[in-house]
């Protein structure tokens, strides 16, 4: 049997990536429930060998093949080296993964991936896994989660932009960058600019000027300017805001991913012409969702200000 003949029909899905604590597992759980309610058959695949407490129903678990604690104990490796070894071991055992996935063929897949950033910016093992999935007729989009609290710190936000760009170039999949935990953003502090400035990644020279107001960053202005030039020259990074607790927010992210991996135009669901066109229009839904989140954020800021005035 040839490499791709075991599952000749197309399978659509998402590889959920991002740094530790960005909400990948929570996202998979929320998206599994959301898609299940609209009638889409969803299978979650856990590719994180360090993921022990999974809130979602998991059909395929890499822990059946290898776990991070076992690797660290037996090979005397740290968590970073152990994760790299685990991904290389998975890459060397494609037949195990293929057999597990074949048992749930015909579903929509959510791949919950590890949180080590180097796996998406430097190392090739996980990238090779994604490439192999493509050979098995999986049509995947990368959903890169970034904690929204980075928006409140200009220096960290530039760093996040660089990481997101590097991930997009290395992973080589259709990519949707997501600002997660938007329901908590007001707890992180006041934003220097409107939310759409961060989601659309508008003129970053304003961010450099804002950084220069800090005596520490003033000495690194030239470096920040060059980093910003790289980001703007590629002009690839933008974000979709996400609040997992909000159904409308989940729908907007789902539409963005469906557009990226081609699910909207596949044969998996009968879609009306109106739905098909809305997915092809572009950023209309993106803009609308950003406005909605921005309005909630402004309202929370106004309420906090009123409470401060009342206390006085």
């Amino acid at each position: 049997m040839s490499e791709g003949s075991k599952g000749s029909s197309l399978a659509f899905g998402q590889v959920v990536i991002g740094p530790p604590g960005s909400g990948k597992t929570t996202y998979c759980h929320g998206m599994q429930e959301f898609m299940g309610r609209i009638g889409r058959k969803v299978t979650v695949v856990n590719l994180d060998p360090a993921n022990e407490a999974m809130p979602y129903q998991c059909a395929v678990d890499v822990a059946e093949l290898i776990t991070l604690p076992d690797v660290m104990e037996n090979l005397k490796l740290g968590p970073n080296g152990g994760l790299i070894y685990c991904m290389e071991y998975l890459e060397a055992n494609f037949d195990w993964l293929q057999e597990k996935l074949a048992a749930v063929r015909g579903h929509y897949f959510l791949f919950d991936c590890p949180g080590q950033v180097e796996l998406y910016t430097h190392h090739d093992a996980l990238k090779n896994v994604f490439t192999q999935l493509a050979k098995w007729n999986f049509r995947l989009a990368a959903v890169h989660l970034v904690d929204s609290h980075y928006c409140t710190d200009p220096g960290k936000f530039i760093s996040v932009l660089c990481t997101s760009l590097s991930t997009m170039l290395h992973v080589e999949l259709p990519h949707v960058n997501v600002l997660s935990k938007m329901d908590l953003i007001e707890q992180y502090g006041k934003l220097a600019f409107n939310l759409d400035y961060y989601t659309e990644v508008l003129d970053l020279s304003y961010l450099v000027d804002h950084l220069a107001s800090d005596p520490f960053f003033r000495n690194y202005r030239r470096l920040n300017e060059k980093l910003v030039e790289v980001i703007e020259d590629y002009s690839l990074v933008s974000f979709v805001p996400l609040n997992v607790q909000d159904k409308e927010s989940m729908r907007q992210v789902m539409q963005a991913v469906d557009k990226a991996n081609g699910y909207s135009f596949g044969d998996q669901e009968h879609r009306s012409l109106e739905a098909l066109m809305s997915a092809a229009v572009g950023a209309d839904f993106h803009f609308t969702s950003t406005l909605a989140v921005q309005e909630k954020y402004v309202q929370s800021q106004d309420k906090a200000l009123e409470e401060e005035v009342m206390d006085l």
Side-chain angles (χ1 to χ4, degrees):
M1 183 176 290
S2 65
E3 189 177 57
S5 61
K6 194 167 185 177
S8 56
S9 62
L10 288 179
F12 292 87
Q14 311 173 19
V15 293
V16 184
I17 62 179
S22 57
K24 297 183 295 298
T25 297
T26 301
Y27 171 86
C28 289
H29 184 210
M31 189 58 74
Q32 181 186 42
E33 289 188 344
F34 180 78
M35 288 184 171
R37 289 174 182 173
I38 64 173
R40 194 180 298 189
K41 294 190 297 182
V42 180
T43 292
V44 179
V45 179
N46 177 45
L47 293 184
D48 185 358
N51 202 348
E52 297 178 345
M54 294 172 290
Y56 49 70
Q57 295 179 351
C58 182
V60 181
D61 189 357
V62 72
E64 297 176 14
L65 179 69
I66 191 170
T67 66
L68 181 60
D70 288 343
V71 170
M72 292 174 63
E73 180 180 352
N74 295 327
L75 299 181
K76 307 305 178 185
L77 293 173
N80 290 336
L83 270 175
I84 290 176
Y85 180 89
C86 289
M87 292 301 100
E88 291 176 344
Y89 191 83
L90 175 62
E91 182 186 3
N93 289 273
F94 279 142
D95 54 341
W96 174 86
L97 182 61
Q98 186 177 32
E99 182 180 349
K100 290 291 184 179
L101 294 176
V104 285
R105 201 71 178 189
H107 289 204
Y108 187 95
F109 291 85
L110 297 173
F111 293 89
D112 189 1
C113 298
Q116 187 178 359
V117 175
E118 290 81 2
L119 291 172
Y120 313 115
T121 59
H122 298 87
H123 201 262
D124 285 336
L126 204 53
K127 173 186 173 182
N128 293 338
V129 171
F130 299 156
T131 301
Q132 187 62 47
L133 288 170
K135 293 178 181 178
W136 295 338
N137 285 326
F138 280 81
R139 298 297 178 261
L140 302 173
V143 179
H144 183 222
L145 298 183
V146 173
D147 198 316
S148 60
H149 86 266
Y150 290 117
C151 294
T152 61
D153 187 317
K156 290 181 179 178
F157 186 66
I158 291 177
S159 176
V160 160
L161 292 174
C162 291
T163 303
S164 299
L165 177 59
S166 179
T167 300
M168 295 175 77
L169 297 175
H170 184 75
V171 172
E172 296 180 346
L173 283 175
H175 215 87
V176 177
N177 292 303
V178 174
L179 283 177
S180 62
K181 306 180 185 178
M182 289 303 301
D183 52 318
L184 303 176
I185 190 170
E186 65 268 14
Q187 300 179 15
Y188 300 136
K190 186 174 176 58
L191 297 178
F193 307 99
N194 287 338
L195 185 61
D196 62 339
Y197 178 86
Y198 300 94
T199 57
E200 302 296 336
V201 189
L202 302 176
D203 189 351
L204 295 178
S205 62
Y206 292 103
L207 205 62
V208 174
D209 291 338
H210 187 70
L211 267 176
S213 62
D214 187 316
F216 175 80
F217 287 106
R218 190 177 302 137
N219 298 326
Y220 300 97
R221 182 184 180 97
R222 185 63 176 163
L223 173 62
N224 289 324
E225 287 175 345
K226 289 301 180 182
L227 290 174
V228 162
E229 284 181 18
V230 172
I231 296 165
E232 292 184 329
D233 286 347
Y234 276 96
S235 191
L236 292 175
V237 184
S238 62
F239 296 94
V240 180
L242 171 66
N243 173 7
V244 175
Q245 307 299 326
D246 183 63
K247 293 180 181 179
E248 179 61 22
S249 179
M250 292 290 284
R251 184 181 70 86
Q252 308 295 358
V253 173
M254 185 188 71
Q255 284 186 334
V257 178
D258 284 352
K259 178 184 173 185
N261 65 13
Y263 183 87
S264 295
F265 311 101
D267 57 357
Q268 302 298 304
E269 286 181 356
H270 294 287
R271 294 179 178 264
S272 66
L273 179 62
E274 180 181 356
L276 189 66
M277 292 304 295
S278 67
V281 161
D284 287 352
F285 66 88
H286 183 164
F287 182 69
T288 303
S289 65
T290 303
L291 283 179
V293 175
Q294 174 69 27
E295 183 178 355
K296 290 181 181 178
Y297 172 75
V298 171
Q299 289 175 350
S300 66
Q301 291 291 317
D302 291 343
K303 183 178 180 180
L305 183 60
E306 289 178 2
E307 291 176 351
E308 290 180 4
V309 171
M310 291 297 293
D311 291 340
L312 293 175

